Amino acid sequence: MDRVAFHNQRIKRVCDFINGHLDQNITLEQLSDIAACSKYHFHRIFKSFMGLSAIQFVLLARMKRASFRLAFEPEQSITDIAYEAHFESPEAFSRAFTRIFGQSPSQFRNQPEWQSWHSKYEFNPPINGERIVEVKVVDFNEKEVALIEHRGSPRRVLDTAAKFISWRKTTGLSPVKTSETFGIPYSDPNDTADDEFRFDICGTHKGAVPDNGYGVKAGLIPGGRCAVAQHKGSHDRIGDTVYYLYQQWLPESGEQLRDFPCFFQYLNFVHEVDEWELLTNVYLPLK
């Protein structure tokens, strides 16, 4: 193993540990031990790979969870969110949140600036050099859905998601607990101009969708053969699983693609579980 891959492996272990232990006290000494590296060198190695210190990474990981709590769990008080993020007081949390995101927690709760928020997370932890992904070929049943189209920057998809969540809550249609939730990207967000990007957010729903002020309408996800792989972890890295299907599995499988985009089924949600526990089925439609 070369030195870069060796350090990649160390940093990944540390990032995985942080994301899986946000509720615990995390120290630099502890992270150094996990990296099997002297604490005198660990922080420099981590920063050289990630562009920020390990302790800053811990803070941003907790703030990320707090952001989703604020935006999507209005029943959670800011005080509770502050203590969950390991702040000694709501005031200290508010100062730190405002310093990082340029909005106070209450401002963010009322009108989150997701585009600016995304800029604080423009770093990617290393991944394992060799990915092992289980892929199955299944018959996907046609789904009648209610959907909302997101048009524009991928960084603003969460604004559209919030509208869909509000529609679900206010109408009682397509309830999240008993309905399936899907996302359909019509192109690669990394290679598509903002004004050409489209992403549909869907929930299973039978029958007509009543007129509404949210822009939600009826739609259909067609049935047919699909390759499916489960992505575990942050939606920010879902492209890793998508690219695996296209670049490695598809050429080796001999299968041919159907004229419908790949799509995602969200098995849980970031305001319900920590990011590392997220489970998403990635479907690749086949002929």
Side-chain angles (χ1 to χ4, degrees):
M1 183 184 297
D2 63 40
R3 299 303 294 177
V4 172
F6 178 67
H7 288 310
N8 258 333
Q9 207 172 68
R10 286 179 165 185
I11 300 304
K12 184 181 185 304
R13 278 204 307 269
V14 171
C15 292
D16 287 348
F17 177 84
I18 291 170
N19 287 322
H21 296 80
L22 294 180
D23 293 322
Q24 298 180 14
N25 290 320
I26 299 174
T27 66
L28 191 60
E29 289 76 10
Q30 188 178 27
L31 298 180
S32 301
D33 288 344
I34 290 164
C37 179
S38 164
K39 66 181 180 182
Y40 300 110
H41 303 293
F42 164 71
H43 66 288
R44 290 188 175 89
I45 293 172
F46 189 95
K47 190 166 185 176
S48 69
F49 273 76
M50 297 296 294
L52 74 170
S53 74
I55 297 306
Q56 287 173 315
F57 185 87
V58 172
L59 173 62
L60 282 175
R62 286 176 174 151
M63 286 300 206
K64 194 174 197 180
R65 180 173 66 176
S67 301
F68 291 128
R69 295 273 197 265
L70 289 166
F72 300 120
E73 295 193 26
E75 68 279 3
Q76 286 255 19
S77 72
I78 292 176
T79 297
D80 287 343
I81 294 170
Y83 291 136
E84 184 189 48
H86 280 234
F87 283 86
E88 293 182 355
S89 69
E91 293 75 21
F93 171 70
S94 182
R95 287 194 296 271
F97 193 95
T98 304
R99 183 181 71 251
I100 294 170
F101 299 116
Q103 290 183 285
S104 70
S106 57
Q107 289 171 332
F108 188 88
R109 166 161 274 176
N110 292 329
Q111 192 170 2
E113 291 289 345
W114 288 115
Q115 192 141 356
S116 172
W117 180 91
H118 274 288
S119 69
K120 307 303 178 183
Y121 293 97
E122 290 179 344
F123 51 82
N124 280 320
I127 60 173
N128 291 328
E130 192 66 33
R131 289 177 56 77
I132 301 175
V133 178
E134 182 183 359
V135 182
K136 299 177 182 177
V137 175
V138 300
D139 289 318
F140 182 84
N141 294 324
E142 177 182 277
K143 304 286 183 182
E144 290 184 58
V145 295
L147 69 84
I148 186 169
E149 291 183 10
H150 171 82
R151 301 275 188 166
S153 170
R155 292 183 170 195
R156 302 208 71 97
V157 166
L158 289 173
D159 284 329
T160 306
K163 291 180 183 178
F164 190 69
I165 291 169
S166 294
W167 173 82
R168 275 180 149 173
K169 287 182 176 178
T170 56
T171 64
L173 302 174
S174 185
V176 69
K177 294 298 183 185
T178 56
S179 303
E180 297 171 295
T181 304
F182 297 90
I184 308 175
Y186 282 79
S187 58
D188 186 339
N190 297 311
D191 298 319
T192 307
D194 284 357
D195 59 354
E196 297 175 1
F197 182 69
R198 173 183 169 186
F199 187 97
D200 288 358
I201 300 165
C202 317
T204 50
H205 170 71
K206 291 191 178 296
V209 175
D211 289 342
N212 58 88
Y214 296 95
V216 176
K217 58 186 180 181
L220 192 74
I221 302 177
R225 295 175 70 245
C226 290
V228 59
Q230 190 165 98
H231 175 83
K232 184 173 183 180
S234 173
H235 294 160
D236 295 341
R237 300 302 295 261
I238 203 165
D240 298 338
T241 301
V242 173
Y243 287 133
Y244 174 86
L245 285 169
Y246 279 107
Q247 294 173 354
Q248 296 188 48
W249 181 83
L250 184 63
E252 294 173 2
S253 71
E255 295 281 359
Q256 294 187 347
L257 296 175
R258 197 159 22 105
D259 189 23
F260 191 77
C262 72
F263 59 95
F264 312 137
Q265 181 182 8
Y266 303 108
L267 304 181
N268 53 15
F269 301 98
V270 75
H271 58 281
E272 297 176 337
V273 299
D274 289 338
E275 268 197 305
W276 70 280
E277 296 178 293
L278 288 170
L279 295 174
T280 309
N281 284 340
V282 180
Y283 287 92
L284 198 61
L286 305 173
K287 289 186 177 179

